[in-house]
């Protein structure tokens, strides 16, 4: 067995230096727990950043992956494959959307959404190409997704970026309205800004955006890569707001850890794409689709969603108690099991202290401690996590 340090040393020699990583290598996971190369056990409230929604090594996911791997791994979208078609059907039925396109990551679904919106209007001979996105948003690291991400720290050094992108203020409908022209194609928004600090959109903002886009003939694109797939206690975060988008993007939790992303659209918006307009070699391949299908089966059960709501409320309550006790903590933010504690100081050292004490947590921006645990985490595990968090808060020096 290699030690953590031996793996780190080899990684530093051969892997590009793009991540600020914790000083350990993970080798095994089971449910809400992971183990490092030296057998140390951690309670995982990161879940691969809102990806491992059913925890690690979920028996139904490992068995569907094994079964599909013995039939067909990959066959190209030159041909139909049943797992992809079934996943599309299940996603549409669970979300009220009509058509799916499959990709492999969140950023790729954003690329697809931008292309779909632009082609939709070009097909109608309308010169609408501008995308209104939001300050403090996050949509991924590919060049197109970067261009619609409203945080300069991610963009710096990569200019010139894709043109035709404007940034409005999140939760400020008037700021969107003032940017709309006869060249606006779409408004792109996260119902809950994840990386930007776990900031939920207000009801009036989301409903106002829906009405505004309808009135102006603009497409509403929702990025649910992080907040979708039952994370907030409903299948999709937009269902909390009583609206339907024209286009919605999914990835992270869709494959429970298997890389897959999806772009869902209404029949009308989907007319933007015709054969040859968009494609992906791996998108919707049988392995990823079979796993995604099983994920949707499990998380769309009413009893599962009830459980997410119950666990989310419990964690939220407990985090609120922390905010009331700890001077440095200012607020609890989020919905369901996408939660954060906002602090008045940077949380980097707190994250490190938690990890040292056996709890994986992550920040969202400099001052928010984010919790995106497996959706099937138990109340007992939440209690264990809270005990480690409280101990870490005591040790944490400003
Ligand atoms: C993570 C994330 C993305 C990017 O997903 P990748 O799979 O890393 O490309 C896009 N949008 C949101 C809201 C995300 O949280």
């Amino acid at each position: 067995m290699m030690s953590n340090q031996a793996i780190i040393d080899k990684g530093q020699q051969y892997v590009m230096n793009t991540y600020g990583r914790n000083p350990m290598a993970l080798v095994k996971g089971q449910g809400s727990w992971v183990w490092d190369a030296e057998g140390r056990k951690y309670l995982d409230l990161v879940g691969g950043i809102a990806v491992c929604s059913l925890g690690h090594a979920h028996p139904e996911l490992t068995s569907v992956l094994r079964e599909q791997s013995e039939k067909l791994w990959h066959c190209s979208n030159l041909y139909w494959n049943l797992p992809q078609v079934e996943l599309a059907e299940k996603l549409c039925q669970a979300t009220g959307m009509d058509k799916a396109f499959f990709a492999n990551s969140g950023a790729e679904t954003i690329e697809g959404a931008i292309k779909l919106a632009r082609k939709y209007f070009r097909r109608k001979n309308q010169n609408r190409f501008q995308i209104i996105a939001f300050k403090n948003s996050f949509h991924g690291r590919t060049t197109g997704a970067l261009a619609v991400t409203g945080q300069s720290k991610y963009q710096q050094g990569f200019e010139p970026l894709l043109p035709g992108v404007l940034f409005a203020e999140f939760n400020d409908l008037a700021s969107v309205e003032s940017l709309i022209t006869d060249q606006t194609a779409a408004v792109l928004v996260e119902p809950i800004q994840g990386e930007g600090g776990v900031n939920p959109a207000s009801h009036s903002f989301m409903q106002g955006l829906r009405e505004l886009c309808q009135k102006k003939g603009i497409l509403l694109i929702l990025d649910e890569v992080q907040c979708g797939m039952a994370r907030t206690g409903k299948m999709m975060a937009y269902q909390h707001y009583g609206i339907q988008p024209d286009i919605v993007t999914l990835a992270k939790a869709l494959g429970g850890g298997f890389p897959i992303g999806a772009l869902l659209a209404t029949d009308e918006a989907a007319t933007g794409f015709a054969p040859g307009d968009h494609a992906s070699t791996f998108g919707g391949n049988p392995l990823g689709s079979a796993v995604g299908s099983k994920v949707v089966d499990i998380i769309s059960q009413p009893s599962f969603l009830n459980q997410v709501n119950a666990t989310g409320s419990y964690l939220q309550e407990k985090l609120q108690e922390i905010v009331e006790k700890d001077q440095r903590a200012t607020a609890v933010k989020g919905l369901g099991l996408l939660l954060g504690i906002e602090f008045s100081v940077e949380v980097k050292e707190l994250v490190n202290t938690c990890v040292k004490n056996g709890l994986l947590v992550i920040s969202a921006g400099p001052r928010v401690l984010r919790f995106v645990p497996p959706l099937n985490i138990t109340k007992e595990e939440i209690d264990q996590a809270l005990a480690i968090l409280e101990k870490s808060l005591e040790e944490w020096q400003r």
Side-chain angles (χ1 to χ4, degrees), residues 49 104-108 110 138-141 190 192 194-195 223-227 249 251-252 370:
I49 316 188
N104 312 287
S105 68
E108 259 186 87
I110 298 297
F138 183 83
H139 299 291
R141 305 301 198 113
E190 294 161 89
I192 302 176
E195 301 304 309
D223 181 348
E224 295 231 8
V225 166
Q226 185 157 163
C227 62
T249 62
K252 291 202 164 88
R370 175 173 30 163

Side-chain angles (χ1 to χ4, degrees), residues 106-125:
E108 259 186 87
T109 66
I110 298 297
E111 300 289 334
I114 295 169
K115 283 181 69 179
L116 180 59
R118 288 188 168 178
K119 202 71 186 251
Y120 173 80
F121 288 108
R122 291 289 150 80
R123 243 174 235 298
K124 291 177 178 293
N125 291 316

Side-chain angles (χ1 to χ4, degrees), residues 91-390:
L91 282 174
C92 289
Q93 285 175 351
T95 63
M97 303 303 285
D98 299 320
K99 292 273 193 297
F101 173 87
F102 292 101
N104 312 287
S105 68
E108 259 186 87
T109 66
I110 298 297
E111 300 289 334
I114 295 169
K115 283 181 69 179
L116 180 59
R118 288 188 168 178
K119 202 71 186 251
Y120 173 80
F121 288 108
R122 291 289 150 80
R123 243 174 235 298
K124 291 177 178 293
N125 291 316
Q126 292 185 43
N127 187 33
R128 289 181 175 271
F129 62 91
Q130 288 179 344
I131 312 287
I132 298 176
F134 290 87
K135 292 180 188 164
N136 204 37
S137 62
F138 183 83
H139 299 291
R141 305 301 198 113
T142 57
T143 53
L146 202 57
V148 290
T149 289
Q151 300 189 58
S152 59
K153 68 175 178 187
Y154 295 117
Q155 299 178 327
Q156 270 161 19
F158 299 109
E159 305 87 353
L161 299 168
L162 178 78
V165 181
L166 303 162
F167 291 100
E169 296 289 337
F170 189 63
N171 274 335
D172 179 350
L173 195 61
S175 80
V176 180
E177 221 163 346
S178 71
L179 294 178
I180 291 177
T181 67
D182 55 7
Q183 295 185 324
T184 309
V187 173
L188 166 64
V189 65
E190 294 161 89
I192 302 176
Q193 288 186 332
E195 301 304 309
V198 192
N199 310 313
S202 70
H203 271 76
S204 59
F205 178 65
M206 288 295 278
Q207 287 172 358
L209 272 185
R210 179 61 284 181
E211 276 173 37
L212 184 62
C213 289
Q214 198 75 38
K215 195 174 84 191
K216 303 272 185 180
I218 296 166
L219 298 173
L220 178 61
I221 306 171
L222 300 183
D223 181 348
E224 295 231 8
V225 166
Q226 185 157 163
C227 62
M229 300 301 288
R231 175 59 50 190
T232 63
K234 288 190 189 282
M235 193 57 192
M236 303 295 284
Y238 63 72
Q239 291 165 339
H240 290 279
Y241 299 90
I243 62 160
Q244 281 288 130
D246 299 295
I247 299 170
V248 58
T249 62
L250 292 171
K252 291 202 164 88
L254 176 53
F258 196 99
I260 181 169
L263 185 62
L264 307 180
T266 60
D267 273 325
E268 173 60 21
T271 61
F273 281 161
D277 281 341
H278 197 46
S280 165
T281 294
F282 293 124
N285 94 350
L287 276 184
S289 298
V291 178
S293 218
K294 181 58 76 180
V295 169
V296 176
D297 286 345
I298 296 171
I299 68 169
S300 61
Q301 298 288 327
S303 60
F304 186 89
L305 293 165
N306 288 340
Q307 183 66 37
V308 175
N309 280 309
T311 313
S313 303
Y314 180 70
L315 178 56
Q316 191 161 7
E317 228 170 81
K318 293 288 170 183
L319 297 182
Q320 192 59 49
E321 289 172 17
I322 288 174
V323 168
E324 272 143 38
K325 274 190 302 210
D326 195 304
Q327 292 296 314
R328 299 162 292 187
T330 53
V332 177
K333 309 203 287 182
L335 209 58
L337 281 171
L338 174 51
L339 295 172
I341 304 182
E342 187 174 66
F343 288 86
S344 55
V345 291
E346 293 199 1
V347 296
K348 192 164 180 269
E349 279 310 312
L350 175 58
V351 171
N352 293 342
T353 307
C354 288
V355 173
K356 177 180 70 77
N357 289 331
L359 175 67
L360 302 190
V361 284
I362 183 184
S363 60
R367 292 186 295 106
V368 175
L369 189 69
R370 175 173 30 163
F371 304 89
V372 278
L375 300 178
N376 56 1
I377 191 169
T378 65
K379 188 168 167 288
E380 290 67 36
E381 287 166 337
I382 294 274
D383 285 336
Q384 283 172 279
L386 288 161
I388 301 176
L389 177 61
E390 299 213 14

